[in-house]
């Protein structure tokens, strides 16, 4: 996987299989015969999820270390609530 990640990084292209995903409807509430009672869930490849998480971790670390956001901005940050008390 590390060779594939490195090649993908250098060429700025991902393998075609990684960019394919399937959308699966998941039941969420009420009657199962109504289309609006389902939500779409995207199932993507494991290598894609791994590289996505790696990139997210790197970007999050940079944002935190460089103090890019204000102290009142904390949505989607690790160990932070999305509400200010």
């Amino acid at each position: 996987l590390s060779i594939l990640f490195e090649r993908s990084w250098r060429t700025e292209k991902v393998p075609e299989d990684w960019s394919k995903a399937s959308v699966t409807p998941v039941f969420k509430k009420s009657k199962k015969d109504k289309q609006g009672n389902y939500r779409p869930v995207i199932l993507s490849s494991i290598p894609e999820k791994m590289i996505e998480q790696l990139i997210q971790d790197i970007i999050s670390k940079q944002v935190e270390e460089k103090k890019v956001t204000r102290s009142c901005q904390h949505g989607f940050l690790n160990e932070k609530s999305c509400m200010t008390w």
Side-chain angles (χ1 to χ4, degrees), residues 2-74:
S2 65
I3 293 168
L4 290 172
F5 289 166
E6 179 66 29
R7 185 179 299 152
S8 179
W9 186 263
R10 275 189 275 114
T11 62
E12 298 181 4
K13 293 181 182 175
V14 295
E16 192 174 316
D17 291 347
W18 292 9
S19 58
K20 291 181 180 176
S22 61
V23 179
T24 303
V26 174
F27 178 70
K28 61 180 183 176
K29 64 178 180 178
S30 196
K31 296 182 178 181
K32 289 190 174 189
D33 60 341
K34 301 228 179 192
Q35 185 178 12
N37 293 337
Y38 289 83
R39 63 181 175 89
V41 173
I42 298 173
L43 305 173
S44 53
S45 71
I46 293 191
E48 179 190 8
K49 288 180 182 183
M50 289 173 66
I51 200 159
E52 195 175 280
Q53 185 64 50
L54 178 68
I55 292 169
Q56 180 189 358
D57 291 347
I58 291 168
I59 290 173
S60 294
K61 185 176 179 183
Q62 287 291 317
V63 166
E64 218 170 284
E65 285 178 359
K66 305 287 184 193
K67 302 205 183 296
V68 175
T69 58
R70 298 178 184 172
S71 61
C72 63
Q73 293 176 303
H74 46 251

